[in-house]
Amino acid sequence: RHCQYKESHIALSYEQLGDWANAQGAYERAQAKARAGVLPFSESEYCLWESRWVETTKRLQNWDVLLELGFHESLPEIELEAGWRSWDWSERQAQVRQLIKASSSEFASSPRAKFYETYLALTKGGAERSKTADFQRMCKEGIKTCLQHWSELPPVGTPAHIGMLHMFQLMVELGDASNIYSSLSSTKVDNLESKSGDLKSVLQTWRERLPNPSDPINIWSDLIAWRQHVFKAINDVYVPFITQPSVAAGEESNGSGGLGADGLAKPGTKTKAGNKGSDTKGGRKANSNGPAADGGDAARPDSEAPKAATPSAGGGGGAAAANSVLTSYAYRGYHEMAWIINRFAHIARLHGLVDVCINSLTRIYTLPNIEIQEA
C-alpha cells in the first residue's frame, strides 16, 4: 500500500502468488527503469526492489548468481549463504572465517554465524576433532543463542518461528555429526560393515527428520546443503576402501589354480579337475549334448557338482561377492545423497519450481552407479 509505483505492486503481487520467476523479472525491470532515469524513485523503494530481488533469487536457487553478487559487491553475508551451498568448506576455512569477521555485528551474533563457526570447529583436522573443548563450547553457545532469539519472538506463530526451528534442527544435527565424524576417524576396512551399520541408524533418523512440505524452499535447500557436507565427509573415508578388496581379489585369483573371477577355470588353462573331467562319462556327455555348464553340470546330482563354481570354494566368485557387499557399504554417503536430492526435487515440484526440480534431478546422474533399492 505504501509503494509509489505500479512496478512494486506488480512484483509484490507475483510474490504473494508464489510466482518467483515473474517477481524476479518485475524487480529487475523496475531497477532498470530507475537506473535509466525513466522512473523516478525514492531510496526506500529502491532498497525494497533490491532486497526482494535477492529473496526471489534465493527462492529460485540461483546461488551462483548470488555468490558472484556477494563477491563483487562485498556482501559477506550473501557470499556466505551462497558459498554454503557451493563450496567445500573444509578447504576454505580461512576464507569463511574472514567473511564471518567482515560481516555485520548483528550477523556475527546470530544463530547462523554460531552454526557456521561450530561447523568449522567440527571439520578441523585430528582424530578427536569432534570432542574438542572448542566444539562442545560452541555447540552450547549456539543453542543458547537460539533460545535467546526464540524468547524474543511473539507468542503467535510467525514465519520467523519456522526459521528459528530450522536453526534448532541444525544445532541438533551438529551433535549427530560429531558422532559420525568420530566413527569415521576409527573406520577401517576390517570394521567397515559394523561402522556403516552404526551410521545407517543415524542417517535413517535424518531421513525421518525433515521440514514440512509447506516450509519455504530455502529451508529445504539449507538442510540439504548441510547434510551433503556430512555425506561428502563419509564418502572421503569410505570410497577409498572399494579399491582395497579389488587388489586382494586379484591376488587371490592369481593363486587359485587358474580360476577366473567367476570361480570357473579360465579357457586354455589345464587343471587337475579339468583333465579328470575330460575322461569321465559326464564330461563326454557334456561334450556331445552341449556346454558342460548347461548339460553335464545341470544333470549331475548336487553332491557331484564342480566345487570350483561355488563362491564358498574360496575362488574369485567369493571375492567378487564380498567386494559387491563392501561396495554397498562404502557407497553409504552416495546412497544418502541420491535420496535427499530426489526428496528435494519432489518438494520443489510441489512448490511449482519446475526448473529447480529438473536441475536437482540432473545432479543424481553425477553420482556413481548404486543399487536403486539402497538409495
Side-chain angles (χ1 to χ4, degrees):
R1 291 181 303 176
H2 301 287
C3 296
Q4 299 180 10
Y5 306 107
K6 66 177 182 180
E7 286 78 7
S8 300
H9 292 284
I10 293 172
L12 290 173
S13 298
Y14 278 131
E15 278 199 53
Q16 291 175 348
L17 294 173
D19 191 347
W20 302 104
N22 281 326
Q24 182 188 52
Y27 287 124
E28 289 175 351
R29 289 190 297 271
Q31 293 179 65
K33 289 181 180 180
R35 286 192 295 268
V38 177
L39 185 69
F41 63 92
S42 61
E43 182 179 355
S44 59
E45 195 150 353
Y46 196 89
C47 289
L48 171 70
W49 297 338
E50 287 184 330
S51 61
R52 298 314 302 170
W53 178 88
V54 170
E55 178 62 25
T56 56
T57 306
K58 291 179 181 179
R59 296 295 184 110
L60 294 172
Q61 305 302 297
N62 294 330
W63 298 107
D64 52 343
V65 176
L66 291 173
L67 185 62
E68 186 177 356
L69 174 68
F71 175 75
H72 290 292
E73 299 295 331
S74 298
L75 301 172
E77 297 172 21
I78 293 178
E79 189 174 358
L80 276 172
E81 189 173 1
W84 175 243
R85 295 162 171 84
S86 307
W87 295 339
D88 181 359
W89 276 38
S90 60
E91 299 177 356
R92 292 178 177 255
Q93 291 204 19
Q95 180 181 357
V96 171
R97 293 183 189 279
Q98 290 178 357
L99 288 173
I100 295 176
K101 290 180 180 179
S103 59
S104 63
S105 57
E106 181 181 359
F107 176 81
S109 60
S110 66
R112 170 63 60 177
K114 298 296 182 183
F115 171 74
Y116 288 156
E117 293 172 349
T118 309
Y119 174 70
L120 292 176
L122 179 65
T123 56
K124 282 183 180 179
E128 299 298 324
R129 55 190 164 187
S130 63
K131 296 183 179 179
T132 59
D134 285 345
F135 175 78
Q136 299 296 337
R137 176 182 56 80
M138 288 180 176
C139 274
K140 293 179 180 178
E141 288 182 357
I143 294 175
K144 182 179 178 181
T145 304
C146 289
L147 290 172
Q148 289 175 344
H149 281 71
W150 180 268
S151 64
E152 296 172 0
L153 295 176
V156 180
T158 63
H161 286 82
I162 298 176
M164 194 53 57
L165 287 172
H166 172 62
M167 290 308 307
F168 275 116
Q169 177 174 354
L170 292 181
M171 296 306 298
V172 169
E173 292 191 1
L174 266 176
D176 296 338
S178 69
N179 296 329
I180 292 176
Y181 275 69
S182 296
S183 175
L184 294 178
S185 64
S186 59
T187 300
K188 301 178 181 178
V189 68
D190 298 333
N191 62 0
L192 180 59
E193 181 177 356
S194 61
K195 292 292 185 180
S196 179
D198 295 340
L199 289 188
K200 187 174 182 179
S201 61
V202 177
L203 298 178
Q204 182 61 37
T205 302
W206 281 15
R207 288 191 179 193
E208 298 171 359
R209 186 194 295 150
L210 295 172
N212 294 320
S214 59
D215 286 347
I217 195 68
N218 290 348
I219 297 289
W220 282 88
S221 173
D222 189 42
L223 183 68
I224 275 91
W226 148 245
R227 291 186 178 180
Q228 287 191 336
H229 285 299
V230 180
F231 298 155
K232 182 182 180 301
I234 296 174
N235 292 334
D236 291 342
V237 174
Y238 276 24
V239 171
F241 292 140
I242 298 175
T243 58
Q244 298 182 20
S246 301
V247 175
E251 295 175 353
E252 183 179 358
S253 176
N254 292 334
S256 60
L259 298 180
D262 54 357
L264 300 175
K266 296 179 180 178
T269 304
K270 292 184 178 180
T271 64
K272 292 182 179 180
N275 293 335
K276 245 182 180 179
S278 63
D279 296 333
T280 61
K281 294 181 180 179
R284 288 194 296 271
K285 184 178 180 181
N287 291 332
S288 61
N289 296 335
D294 297 333
D297 292 348
R300 296 176 187 175
D302 293 340
S303 59
E304 298 179 9
K307 301 301 182 183
T310 61
S312 59
N323 192 15
S324 176
V325 173
L326 186 62
T327 299
S328 177
Y329 291 133
Y331 280 155
R332 176 64 59 198
Y334 286 118
H335 295 161
E336 298 302 323
M337 278 186 176
W339 188 91
I340 199 68
I341 288 173
N342 187 62
R343 184 65 178 171
F344 177 71
H346 171 70
I347 295 300
R349 183 175 60 83
L350 292 180
H351 284 244
L353 302 172
V354 179
D355 291 339
V356 175
C357 174
I358 295 174
N359 292 336
S360 179
L361 288 176
T362 55
R363 295 172 56 193
I364 294 182
Y365 295 99
T366 65
L367 304 178
N369 292 331
I370 57 177
E371 295 293 335
I372 297 300
Q373 63 269 20
E374 292 292 340

